[in-house]
Amino acid sequence: MSKLIALFLVSWALLLQSSHAQRSTYNFNPGWKVKVGDPVQAATAKFNDSDWQKVTLPYAWNEDEVFKVDIHDLTTGVAWYRKSFVLPKGAEQQKVFLEFEGVRQGAEFYVNGQHIGRHENGAMAVGFDLTAVLKPAPAENVIAVRTDNDWDYREKSTNTKYQWSDRNFNVNYGGIPKNVYLHITDKLYQTLPLYSNLGTTGVYVYAQNINIAEKSAEITAEAQVRNEYPVSKSFQYVVSIKDMEGKEIKSFEGWETTLSPGQTATVKASERVEKLHFWSWGYGYLYDVYTTLMVDGVPVDQVKTTTGFRKTAFKEGMVYLNDRVLQMKGYAQRTSNEWPGVGMSVPAWISDYSNSLMVKGNANLVRWMHITPWKQDVESSDRVGLIQAMPAGDAEGDVQGVRWEQRKNLMRDAIIYNRNNPSILFYECGNDNISESHMSEMKQIRDRYDPYGGRAIGSREMLDSKVAEYGGEMLYINKSADQPMWATEYSRDEGLRKYWDEYTPPYHKDGDGPPYKGKDASSYNHNQDSHAIEDIVRWYDYYRERPGTGKRVSSGGVNIVFSDTQTHYRGAENYRRSGEVDPMRIPKDGYYAHQVMWDGWVDPEKPRTHIIGHWNYEKEVVKDIYVVSNAQEVALFVNDKSLGKGKQTHRFLFTFPDVAWEAGSIRAVSYDENGDKISEDEIITSGKPHALKLSLMQHPEGMRADGHDLALVQVEVVDEEGRRCPTALDMINFSLEGPAEWRGGIAQGPDNYVFSENLPVEGGVNRVFVRSTDKAGKISLKAVAKGLKPDTIDWTSRPFEVENGLAKTLPGEDLPSYLDRGPTPSGPSYRLSRVPVAVRTAKAQVNSDEVKKSYDDNELSSWENDGALSTGWIEYELEREAEISEITMKLSNWRNRSYPISVSIDGREVYSGNTEKSLGYVTLEFPPTKGKKVLIKLIGANIDGDAFGIVEITGKIEPSGEEKKTKGSLDIVEIEFYEKAE
C-alpha cells in the first residue's frame, strides 16, 4: 500500500469514525436499587425488588454514617444492588462488557440469574464479558450484585484477609461507591484495561525521545486486539491525536495485521509529533488519542484514550519534570478523599474542586495512602495538574505468602488500569519498607506493564535499597545524592477550623483536649495559630535541605493530611483534624501558610504574604501576631501605624509580639533583599453580624438531574458591608424546596450535625450539600438565623437523559482542565546556596575501618565510637582546601540526643556547643575558615530526652534510631561540609 493511499484512507476513515465506529460506552450508573441485608433469591431475574431503595451510582449504602460515627463503628455486612436495563438495538451481534471501577469489599455478580464472577480486593476495577448471558432488545436484562464489606472479609479461594482492609486507614464505604460503565464493541476489538477477571490490558500510549525545548516527542500507541469472529480478520491500525480544542495534530498508522479466530495480539504505531503542550504541575494539558481498527477501509472499533505527555527523571537525589527540578510539596491524603454525608461517592466536578484546591494552594503532589485511588480521582488529578503517588494496597509492614501475592496482583491491575494517566509519577509498593526481593518483584511488574511511562517505583523508607527508585521515611528528613528521598508523610498535628486561638470564642488554648494513649494533648491538639505555625516549622526542615543546598538533598515531602478525614483520631471528635482544610474543604490558616511557602518549583518564585488569624478581637486583647511570607523582611501596620519589622524564624515565619488590638486595619508588608515592597496582606475588622449570605458551587454546566450530582452551598454571616464575621458561631436553620435531597454538612456538636437541617457556622462560615433527584426543576434553599437577615438561593437542575437504564453522558467527560500555572517554565528552579566539599578520607581512634559509613550517602549506616568519651572523635580530610562555613550532620538518636562537640579546621576551633535535637539533620554555622582537615570531637556527656514526643496511633512511641545507654557516644550517620556559594 503506498503512503499516499494510506494517508487518504486514514483521513477518510477519521471523517467517518464518529458515525461508523462500532464501539459505544454508556454510563451505567442510573437506575439501581439497593437493599441492606441478604434476601433469599435476590440474584434471580424475577425477584420482586419493588420496595428497594432507588439510587444512582456511585452510592455507598452506609453513606449516612460518614463523619457521624467513628471509622470503627461504620456499619458493615451484606447489601444487594440490582438494576434492569435493555440493550441498544443491534447489540446482539456485538460484544458487551461491564466495567466496575470498584466494589467494597467482596462482591458476587449475577446477570439474569446466572453467576458471572466475583471480585474481592475492594480497591481496584473489575470487568465482565456479558455477551453470552444477555438478552437482545427489547428484552429486559437484570444485573444483581451481592456486596459484603465485612472488615474481616477473606478471599474465598485462600481464606486470607486483605492487608489493606484496615480499620484505621481505609474507611469502609460499602457496596458500589464508584462508577460503572457498559461497553459494546465489535467482535474484533481493542481490549479493556481490566486484568481482574478479563485478563486484558487495553491501550497503552506513551512518549519517548522527548525534546522539551523543541516541543516534540515520539508518540506510540499500543493496543491489545482480540478477534472473536469464527474466521480470520485483517485490519489496519490507525492512530489520531487531537488537542484540547479538538484539532487533529497528527494521524498515523501501523502495519496491516491478521488475527486468527480467538487470537489476541498487541499492535502498535509510532510517529514523531511536533508542537506539543507538555503536561505539568498546575497545567493539566491533555490529548485525546483515538486508536481505530479499520477493516476494508471501514472503522469497526475505536478507543479514545485521554492522556498527556511529559518528561521525567529521578536522579541526583532530585525529581525532574520536563527538564526542571521540582521539590515535592503536597499532601498525604486518604484515598477515600471523603466528604460528610456522601463519603467518597461525589460527582467528578467535586473531585476536581477538591484536588484543584491542593494545586491552588501550591501543592504539586498528592500521595494517596495505602490503597489505589479510584479512577475518578486519578483522572481529576490529570485535569488539575496534580502529581500523584499511586499505591497498590497495604496497611503497614511487609508480608509474605498469599498476602504478598494479593499486593502484587493489585499493583499489576492498578498499573494496567492507570498507566495512561500522566499525573502518576510514583508507584508506591508499601507504607513501610519491603525486602529487596519484593521490591524487585514489584519493579518487574512495572517494567512489564509500564516500561515507558516515566514513573519511579519505590516504597516508604527503602533508604539503602539498590532496587527502589525513590524512598523516604515519614516524619523524618532524608537526603540523597542518588535516588530521590521525599517524606511520605510529615506534620501530624491536628487543629479544628473552629478554633482560631485562645482569645477568640470558644477560646481554645493550644494543647487543650483529652489525653490520648496516656499522653496529654499538647503534642498534637492545636488551634489555628499554632497549627499553622507547626506547618511552617515542619516544612522548614525540608526547605533548608532543598535542591541547591549541596550534592545530597531532600526532594521534599507531603503533609498529612489535606482535608480532615474519617480515619483514626486523637481528639474529642471522632475524626482526624490534621487537614489544612476542613471536611467541606473550607481552608484553615495552614492552607494559606503552605500557599506562601510552596509557591515555586523549589525556591519561592511568586511573592506572597499572609497574616495568620483574624482582626475581630475583644477590647484589651494583646497577642502575638504571626505573618507567613516568602520575602526577606516583613513590617506590620495597625491602622497605618508601623509596629516595625518582625522577627524571622524558620525562614517563612515572622513574629510580632504583644500587639494590642484596635478596631480597623492590620496590614503586613513584605520586602525583598533590596528593601523593595513585593507583597502585602491586610485584614479589616468586620462590623456586627447583620445578615446571612449564600453562595452556590455546582457543575460548570449546571446541576444535573441524575440522582447523584451535588450542589455545594456556602453560608456566611456577614456585616452590613458584606464582610464575613470571623468570630460568628450562629446556628443556621435551612429549608429546602424542589426536586433535591438534603445531605447537609458538618460542625462540632451532637453527631457532628451530620444531616441536620440546623447547624452552626464556625468562624463565620460553613457549607452544606444538596443532591439532585432524577427530576429536573427549580431548587430553592433558604437560610435563617436569629437576629440576622435571611438569605435564599435558587438554581435549576437540568434534565439528564437516560434510556433503558443507559446514559450517553459519561462522568467527568466534559470537565475543563486547570491550566492556570501555565507550561513548565524554562531555566533553573533553584539558586545554588552553598557548595559541597567532598571528603577524601577519614580516620578515628576506634572502628577506623568504618569511617566511610559517616559519609557514604546511606542513612542506614553510620560510624560510631566505643562509648568512651576519649574515643569520641573523627578527623576528615577534604578533597581540597576550602573555606568551610557550614557542617551538616545526621546524628544517631537525632530526635532525643544532643551531642556536646567541638569542630576544628586545621587545628583551629571554629565551633563548640551542643547539637540541637532534630527530625533528621543539624547544621553548624561558623565564620568561613580555610583548611583541609576537619576534626569533630565529643567534649562532654550526651544529653538525652525526647524533644518531640511523637506517639503513633497505636500508642507506640515513634523511635528515633537505636537507643544508646552510654553517655560518651559519637555516632555520625552522614556528614557534609560546605563553603558559601559565590
Side-chain angles (χ1 to χ4, degrees):
M1 182 183 295
S2 71
K3 185 70 173 179
L4 183 62
I5 296 175
L7 289 174
F8 171 78
L9 287 174
V10 169
S11 301
W12 176 76
L14 294 174
L15 287 173
L16 297 178
Q17 62 190 16
S18 60
S19 59
H20 288 82
Q22 297 300 301
R23 179 177 295 238
S24 299
T25 295
Y26 295 95
N27 181 341
F28 207 62
N29 289 329
W32 288 81
K33 295 181 178 181
V34 66
K35 178 72 172 181
V36 178
D38 198 7
V40 179
Q41 302 297 315
T44 62
K46 294 183 179 180
F47 181 83
N48 183 4
D49 58 15
S50 59
D51 63 340
W52 286 23
Q53 180 185 356
K54 296 179 180 180
V55 298
T56 300
L57 299 185
Y59 175 82
W61 59 266
N62 58 353
E63 67 170 9
D64 289 0
E65 299 173 350
V66 180
F67 282 99
K68 187 175 184 179
V69 303
D70 178 352
I71 180 177
H72 302 87
D73 296 331
L74 284 166
T75 304
T76 61
V78 174
W80 281 84
Y81 289 70
R82 286 171 56 91
K83 174 186 172 83
S84 299
F85 66 100
V86 176
L87 286 174
K89 292 181 180 179
E92 60 272 12
Q93 299 300 319
Q94 296 178 287
K95 296 287 297 180
V96 182
F97 298 96
L98 196 57
E99 172 187 353
F100 287 82
E101 287 185 341
V103 294
R104 179 69 184 268
Q105 171 71 43
E108 307 287 344
F109 299 83
Y110 303 83
V111 172
N112 296 329
Q114 182 173 336
H115 186 260
I116 61 167
R118 173 185 297 143
H119 189 60
E120 300 177 285
N121 66 40
M124 197 56 238
V126 61
F128 299 98
D129 185 344
L130 308 186
T131 308
V133 296
L134 291 176
K135 302 173 184 177
E140 189 173 72
N141 295 281
V142 177
I143 180 168
V145 184
R146 181 187 186 273
T147 67
D148 183 354
N149 73 325
D150 190 328
W151 283 112
D152 297 318
Y153 182 93
R154 293 177 178 270
E155 186 178 36
K156 303 297 184 186
S157 61
T158 65
N159 195 36
T160 304
K161 286 179 58 178
Y162 290 89
Q163 187 187 10
W164 50 89
S165 184
D166 186 281
R167 285 172 168 82
N168 286 316
F169 309 121
N170 187 1
V171 189
N172 197 337
Y173 302 138
I176 312 178
K178 303 177 185 179
N179 296 304
V180 188
Y181 301 90
L182 190 78
H183 305 275
I184 300 177
T185 76
D186 190 78
K187 291 181 181 179
L188 176 69
Y189 64 95
Q190 298 166 80
T191 66
L192 296 167
L194 295 168
Y195 202 90
S196 183
N197 195 282
L198 290 178
T200 54
T201 57
V203 174
Y204 179 35
V205 180
Y206 52 88
Q208 294 175 287
N209 301 319
I210 300 170
N211 189 312
I212 298 297
E214 295 181 0
K215 299 181 179 180
S216 66
E218 181 183 335
I219 306 300
T220 300
E222 295 182 3
Q224 186 185 59
V225 181
R226 180 170 291 172
N227 176 24
E228 295 200 28
Y229 280 100
V231 297
S232 296
K233 285 288 182 176
S234 298
F235 64 91
Q236 194 74 33
Y237 179 61
V238 178
V239 179
S240 171
I241 303 175
K242 292 186 177 181
D243 64 17
M244 292 186 67
E245 286 70 48
K247 178 183 177 182
E248 182 181 87
I249 63 167
K250 196 74 174 183
S251 63
F252 49 96
E253 61 179 13
W255 298 102
E256 185 174 78
T257 303
T258 300
L259 294 183
S260 303
Q263 184 181 359
T264 302
T266 297
V267 298
K268 68 178 182 179
S270 303
E271 192 77 31
R272 188 131 199 110
V273 181
E274 311 290 336
K275 299 180 181 179
L276 284 172
H277 296 269
F278 291 108
W279 187 95
S280 187
W281 167 36
Y283 188 69
Y285 201 97
L286 302 173
Y287 291 89
D288 289 331
V289 179
Y290 295 87
T291 50
T292 306
L293 308 183
M294 307 280 295
V295 175
D296 298 328
V298 176
V300 298
D301 183 61
Q302 182 186 90
V303 174
K304 181 180 80 170
T305 301
T306 300
T307 189
F309 309 114
R310 74 288 184 277
K311 183 179 181 182
T312 60
F314 309 91
K315 60 183 181 179
E316 301 160 349
M318 298 182 286
V319 177
Y320 290 77
L321 177 61
N322 300 331
D323 291 338
R324 199 170 199 245
V325 174
L326 180 67
Q327 188 179 32
M328 310 322 299
K329 309 170 182 180
Y331 297 101
Q333 177 77 337
R334 298 300 179 196
T335 299
S336 44
N337 207 11
E338 67 270 19
W339 295 71
V342 292
M344 68 183 299
S345 302
V346 295
W349 79 265
I350 290 280
S351 295
D352 282 13
Y353 175 75
S354 180
N355 295 331
S356 68
L357 270 179
M358 294 192 225
V359 177
K360 292 173 183 177
N362 291 320
N364 56 45
L365 170 66
V366 59
R367 176 205 171 220
W368 304 111
M369 301 182 70
H370 295 286
I371 64 168
T372 310
W374 71 307
K375 193 67 171 181
Q376 181 167 295
D377 266 323
V378 171
E379 294 176 337
S380 171
S381 298
D382 288 345
R383 289 190 292 270
V384 305
L386 179 62
I387 296 168
Q388 301 179 78
M390 186 201 83
D394 78 339
E396 286 184 339
D398 206 353
V399 289
Q400 304 296 324
V402 172
R403 289 199 299 167
W404 177 247
E405 293 302 315
Q406 290 173 339
R407 281 172 62 167
K408 286 200 305 180
N409 292 341
L410 182 53
M411 178 62 82
R412 174 201 62 205
D413 293 2
I415 286 176
I416 291 169
Y417 198 55
N418 297 312
R419 60 186 176 176
N420 292 314
N421 296 97
S423 53
I424 297 174
L425 261 63
F426 302 97
Y427 291 140
E428 179 180 290
C429 302
N431 193 54
D432 208 336
N433 65 312
I434 58 176
S435 68
E436 283 288 76
S437 62
H438 279 176
M439 189 71 248
S440 293
E441 290 180 53
M442 286 294 198
K443 192 173 181 180
Q444 288 168 12
I445 293 171
R446 190 279 310 269
D447 291 346
R448 178 176 179 183
Y449 295 107
D450 186 21
Y452 308 114
R455 299 178 174 99
I457 190 163
S459 183
R460 200 183 99 193
E461 298 187 359
M462 308 305 289
L463 304 183
D464 64 344
S465 173
K466 304 302 180 185
V467 181
E469 295 165 342
Y470 75 93
E473 296 179 277
M474 60 181 187
L475 305 179
Y476 303 127
I477 293 82
N478 305 116
K479 298 170 67 175
S480 173
D482 189 6
Q483 295 99 334
M485 295 288 174
W486 51 269
T488 53
E489 59 186 77
Y490 75 90
S491 192
R492 292 174 160 186
D493 293 23
E494 303 183 48
L496 281 170
R497 186 179 62 81
K498 180 178 181 178
Y499 299 141
W500 282 108
D501 53 38
E502 61 186 280
Y503 304 96
T504 307
Y507 307 108
H508 181 88
K509 291 185 178 180
D510 192 30
D512 279 355
Y516 179 76
K517 303 292 184 181
K519 299 288 183 179
D520 68 69
S522 59
S523 64
Y524 64 85
N525 198 349
H526 294 289
N527 52 46
Q528 284 211 54
D529 270 14
S530 57
H531 194 189
I533 291 168
E534 182 69 13
D535 283 332
I536 297 166
V537 171
R538 293 281 69 85
W539 173 249
Y540 177 69
D541 290 331
Y542 302 93
Y543 172 81
R544 65 181 176 181
E545 308 298 343
R546 67 197 181 279
T549 62
K551 185 177 181 181
R552 300 184 70 249
V553 296
S554 165
S555 262
V558 287
N559 179 300
I560 180 171
V561 288
F562 175 62
S563 60
D564 291 347
T565 171
Q566 194 185 8
T567 52
H568 59 79
Y569 59 92
R570 297 175 290 185
E573 296 72 33
N574 61 7
Y575 62 91
R576 185 163 186 165
R577 299 86 32 83
S578 292
E580 306 309 324
V581 299
D582 77 359
M584 299 302 286
R585 276 48 171 189
I586 303 173
K588 306 176 189 178
D589 264 318
Y591 174 85
Y592 298 110
H594 287 119
Q595 189 178 53
V596 171
M597 298 186 296
W598 289 350
D599 201 350
W601 282 58
V602 177
D603 294 335
E605 296 168 5
K606 181 178 179 181
R608 285 184 183 270
T609 302
H610 176 73
I611 303 171
I612 295 175
H614 63 88
W615 198 238
N616 263 68
Y617 290 98
E618 299 165 348
K619 291 182 179 179
E620 300 181 354
V621 166
V622 177
K623 72 180 294 281
D624 292 351
I625 297 296
Y626 306 99
V627 177
V628 55
S629 172
N630 53 27
Q632 297 301 314
E633 291 185 316
V634 178
L636 193 68
F637 300 83
V638 173
N639 293 327
D640 293 328
K641 181 177 67 176
S642 175
L643 301 186
K645 301 288 180 63
K647 179 183 178 182
Q648 183 183 30
T649 57
H650 302 90
R651 174 60 182 88
F652 301 101
L653 181 62
F654 296 82
T655 303
F656 299 84
D658 301 326
V659 176
W661 177 80
E662 57 183 75
S665 160
I666 184 169
R667 182 165 53 98
V669 180
S670 293
Y671 304 90
D672 64 15
E673 58 270 17
N674 299 318
D676 295 328
K677 173 183 171 181
I678 55 175
S679 64
E680 68 175 56
D681 187 29
E682 183 179 28
I683 304 176
I684 297 175
T685 305
S686 61
K688 293 182 179 180
H690 173 71
L692 299 179
K693 177 184 176 182
L694 295 177
S695 306
L696 175 67
M697 289 170 272
Q698 59 179 331
H699 189 285
E701 296 180 1
M703 191 179 210
R704 289 173 171 166
D706 60 2
H708 178 255
D709 201 4
L710 293 166
L712 181 59
V713 182
Q714 179 166 286
V715 58
E716 298 174 87
V717 174
V718 298
D719 65 10
E720 286 189 298
E721 301 298 321
R723 293 186 293 255
R724 183 187 300 176
C725 299
T727 62
L729 299 168
D730 299 79
M731 178 65 71
I732 314 299
N733 305 310
F734 293 93
S735 56
L736 177 66
E737 295 182 358
E741 176 191 4
W742 176 259
R743 299 307 298 172
I746 189 171
Q748 302 311 301
D751 293 331
N752 295 324
Y753 287 99
V754 172
F755 293 122
S756 174
E757 294 183 357
N758 310 311
L759 71 160
V761 293
E762 296 176 339
V765 62
N766 214 326
R767 290 174 179 171
V768 296
F769 271 139
V770 174
R771 179 184 279 165
S772 70
T773 68
D774 58 4
K775 305 294 183 184
K778 180 182 177 182
I779 300 167
S780 181
L781 182 66
K782 184 176 182 180
V784 177
K786 184 178 179 180
L788 300 176
K789 182 180 177 181
D791 195 18
T792 301
I793 193 165
D794 300 323
W795 71 98
T796 302
S797 61
R798 52 196 175 93
F800 185 78
E801 184 176 346
V802 179
E803 184 176 356
N804 293 322
L806 307 177
K808 294 182 179 179
T809 301
L810 303 180
E813 69 171 351
D814 54 353
L815 290 172
S817 279
Y818 179 82
L819 304 172
D820 288 20
R821 288 197 67 91
T824 301
S826 59
S829 56
Y830 60 85
R831 291 183 298 174
L832 193 65
S833 60
R834 59 187 187 181
V835 177
V837 182
V839 175
R840 192 177 77 175
T841 187
K843 66 179 182 179
Q845 184 174 338
V846 296
N847 299 326
S848 57
D849 58 334
E850 296 186 349
V851 291
K852 193 171 184 179
K853 291 182 178 179
S854 67
Y855 59 96
D856 62 356
D857 195 28
N858 180 354
E859 292 182 334
L860 294 185
S861 68
S862 67
W863 169 86
E864 61 179 318
N865 69 333
D866 57 5
L869 186 61
S870 61
T871 63
W873 63 269
I874 183 169
E875 185 176 66
Y876 297 91
E877 182 178 338
L878 306 181
E879 65 175 351
R880 59 181 171 83
E881 188 175 65
E883 285 198 333
I884 302 300
S885 60
E886 293 183 26
I887 297 175
T888 296
M889 292 188 289
K890 188 167 195 174
L891 298 160
S892 184
N893 303 93
W894 54 86
R895 197 185 77 215
N896 60 5
R897 171 160 284 190
S898 177
Y899 295 79
I901 64 170
S902 72
V903 177
S904 298
I905 298 178
D906 285 357
R908 290 168 292 170
E909 186 176 75
V910 296
Y911 175 90
S912 179
N914 300 324
T915 63
E916 65 177 329
K917 297 169 185 178
S918 73
L919 292 181
Y921 287 81
V922 296
T923 295
L924 312 180
E925 300 182 58
F926 43 83
T929 304
K930 182 175 287 188
K932 193 171 184 181
K933 291 185 177 181
V934 183
L935 175 67
I936 310 294
K937 184 179 180 180
L938 192 67
I939 57 175
N942 303 127
I943 304 167
D944 291 335
D946 194 339
F948 295 89
I950 299 170
V951 182
E952 287 276 14
I953 61 163
T954 59
K956 174 185 175 184
I957 302 295
E958 175 67 26
S960 62
E962 183 183 354
E963 299 294 335
K964 306 286 187 180
K965 293 183 178 180
T966 57
K967 295 298 184 179
S969 171
L970 181 61
D971 193 340
I972 302 176
V973 178
E974 291 294 330
I975 190 166
E976 303 154 20
F977 302 92
Y978 295 100
E979 57 185 356
K980 292 185 180 297
E982 294 182 2

